[in-house]
Amino acid sequence: MKYLVILLLSLQASAGHQNLKGGLAISGYDPVSYFEDSGPRKGTKAHQFDYQGATYFFADRENQQAFAQSPEQYIPAYGGWCAYAMGASGDKVKIDPKTYKIIDDRLYLFYNFWGNNTLTSWNDDEEVLKTDADRYWTQLLATQ
């Protein structure tokens, strides 16, 4: 069941709902690096991989290969949009790639600008917000 939910939540790429800038996902951050002890690192053009209409950059060849073998394991939830905003209102809001949380082996990204860190609000009511975000995201994908 967990992998079915991950598959459903990751269908954003083919639906065109990804948070991309010039086709680049996560502002060029290496999605695999979020799962490493060192935390998120910027990737480079030298190590890139295209997946479902998005280009992902990686810090090194090993991370690029790990992603290529199992991209669904690393792509961010809700198309890379702010998880809090998705849960609170179903809106697609930009993120700060350094503000994130791993929940059940899934990457969630958050808005963190001008003194408003939505990860803090997410942590205050994570269960409800995650349930609502999943519902809003499913509805958004269905309107494609």
Side-chain angles (χ1 to χ4, degrees):
M1 180 66 172
K2 175 182 164 184
Y3 294 105
L4 177 58
V5 170
I6 289 172
L7 179 60
L8 289 173
L9 293 177
S10 67
L11 290 176
Q12 75 276 3
S14 59
H17 289 292
Q18 290 190 85
N19 182 2
L20 304 176
K21 189 168 188 173
L24 185 60
I26 321 174
S27 301
Y29 276 78
D30 176 343
V32 176
S33 69
Y34 286 89
F35 297 86
E36 298 172 336
D37 291 338
S38 60
R41 296 182 289 158
K42 277 286 229 178
T44 67
K45 288 182 181 181
H47 303 288
Q48 66 180 359
F49 188 85
D50 294 333
Y51 183 71
Q52 292 186 340
T55 299
Y56 293 88
F57 283 179
F58 301 91
D60 54 47
R61 181 178 155 94
E62 292 77 20
N63 284 7
Q64 179 186 21
Q65 289 176 334
F67 184 89
Q69 290 175 353
S70 186
E72 298 298 329
Q73 178 180 343
Y74 299 107
I75 59 173
Y78 316 124
W81 298 103
C82 174
Y84 173 81
M86 189 58 62
S89 61
D91 291 330
K92 294 192 271 184
V93 172
K94 72 177 185 173
I95 54 95
D96 171 359
K98 294 181 183 177
T99 306
Y100 71 99
K101 186 171 186 176
I102 305 293
I103 305 167
D104 295 327
D105 296 321
R106 184 87 173 138
L107 174 60
Y108 294 81
L109 299 167
F110 298 89
Y111 178 94
N112 185 9
F113 301 96
W114 303 100
N116 183 11
N117 183 345
T118 61
L119 175 56
T120 303
S121 300
W122 173 273
N123 286 335
D124 289 341
D125 201 12
E126 182 175 289
E127 187 175 329
V128 170
L129 287 164
K130 186 176 176 319
T131 298
D132 289 347
D134 291 347
R135 180 174 45 82
Y136 280 128
W137 187 248
T138 301
Q139 290 171 356
L140 183 67
L141 294 178
T143 63
Q144 181 63 16

